[in-house]
């Protein structure tokens, strides 16, 4: 039997949480990509398409297709930029707000299912550990990787 690695377990838990969330989201007729657009736009209304694409870490052309579908559905609207005609600004429509609330509710339901038999202490501890891991990785991601250019046969050397 192969022992699970931390990276595999974290990835698999995140994948399963997304899968469960998507099961709930299908009832609202939204894809995960559309939900992510709504969620980001709810905190960044008035942003232009390139800025939203950057926040979502997707290509602008991919976002345009999503926005077109969501605009057809009446969930978002594009408004002309007040000073630059090359840009349109993105806003949620009144129709999007109940859907956004529903999505938050099913997000919470997914979290409840995920942590079903955890005590509040275990829940808090897990979040503390994950926060620490995230901080370590944020720091590491700001460091150059050229120190590890001499990797040979799986050995890590520091310069």
């Amino acid at each position: 039997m192969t022992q699970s690695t931390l990276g595999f377990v974290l990835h698999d838990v995140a994948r399963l949480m997304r899968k469960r969330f998507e099961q709930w989201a299908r009832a609202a007729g939204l894809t995960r990509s559309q939900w992510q657009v709504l969620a980001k736009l709810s905190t960044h209304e008035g942003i232009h398409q390139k800025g939203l694409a950057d926040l979502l870490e997707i290509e602008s052309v991919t976002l345009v297709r999503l926005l077109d579908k969501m605009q057809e559905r009446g969930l978002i609207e594009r408004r002309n930029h007040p000073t630059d005609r090359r840009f349109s600004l993105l806003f949620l429509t009144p129709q999007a707000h109940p859907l956004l609330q529903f999505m938050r509710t099913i997000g919470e339901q997914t979290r409840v299912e995920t942590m079903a038999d955890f005590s509040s202490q275990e829940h808090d501890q897990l979040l503390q550990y994950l926060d620490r891991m995230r901080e370590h990785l944020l720091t590491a991601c700001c460091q150059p990787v050229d120190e590890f250019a001499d990797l040979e046969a799986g050995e890590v050397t520091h310069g």
Side-chain angles (χ1 to χ4, degrees):
M1 181 175 146
T2 307
Q3 185 176 5
S4 296
T5 64
L6 175 64
F8 176 80
V9 172
L10 287 173
H11 177 78
D12 208 34
V13 168
R15 179 188 64 80
L16 289 167
M17 287 180 74
R18 283 190 307 272
K19 180 178 180 176
R20 183 61 173 153
F21 181 87
E22 288 170 3
Q23 289 174 334
W24 286 100
R26 272 188 233 118
L30 278 183
T31 65
R32 180 169 37 105
S33 297
Q34 290 170 331
W35 154 241
Q36 288 172 329
V37 168
L38 284 179
K40 285 291 184 197
L41 196 50
S42 73
T43 58
H44 295 89
E45 280 196 273
I47 195 170
H48 57 81
Q49 289 179 188
K50 173 72 171 107
L52 184 58
D54 290 346
L55 284 174
L56 292 166
E57 298 180 355
I58 62 175
E59 295 296 322
S60 292
V61 288
T62 303
L63 179 60
V64 168
R65 286 184 291 237
L66 281 168
L67 293 174
D68 288 345
K69 289 178 184 176
M70 294 173 76
Q71 188 171 15
E72 287 173 20
R73 193 169 164 191
L75 299 175
I76 62 117
E77 63 179 332
R78 292 174 169 113
R79 297 180 194 164
N80 292 330
H81 190 283
T83 59
D84 192 338
R85 293 175 25 160
R86 294 174 297 167
F87 295 107
S88 59
L89 305 178
L90 303 169
F91 294 87
L92 295 175
T93 65
Q95 290 173 266
H97 292 282
L99 190 55
L100 194 57
Q101 185 54 48
F102 174 73
M103 300 306 280
R104 287 180 179 134
T105 300
I106 64 174
E108 180 58 27
Q109 177 62 29
T110 302
R111 286 185 290 279
V112 166
E113 289 175 339
T114 302
M115 306 290 286
D117 63 350
F118 282 59
S119 70
S120 63
Q121 180 183 1
E122 288 172 321
H123 178 270
D124 293 345
Q125 247 183 337
L126 177 61
L127 289 179
Q128 289 171 7
Y129 294 149
L130 291 172
D131 281 340
R132 280 177 44 203
M133 292 169 63
R134 180 178 49 218
E135 290 302 317
H136 292 295
L137 288 169
L138 286 170
T139 300
C141 287
C142 293
Q143 302 300 315
V145 294
D146 57 356
E147 295 177 19
F148 299 100
D150 296 328
L151 290 178
E152 291 183 22
E155 291 183 28
V156 176
T157 59
H158 296 279

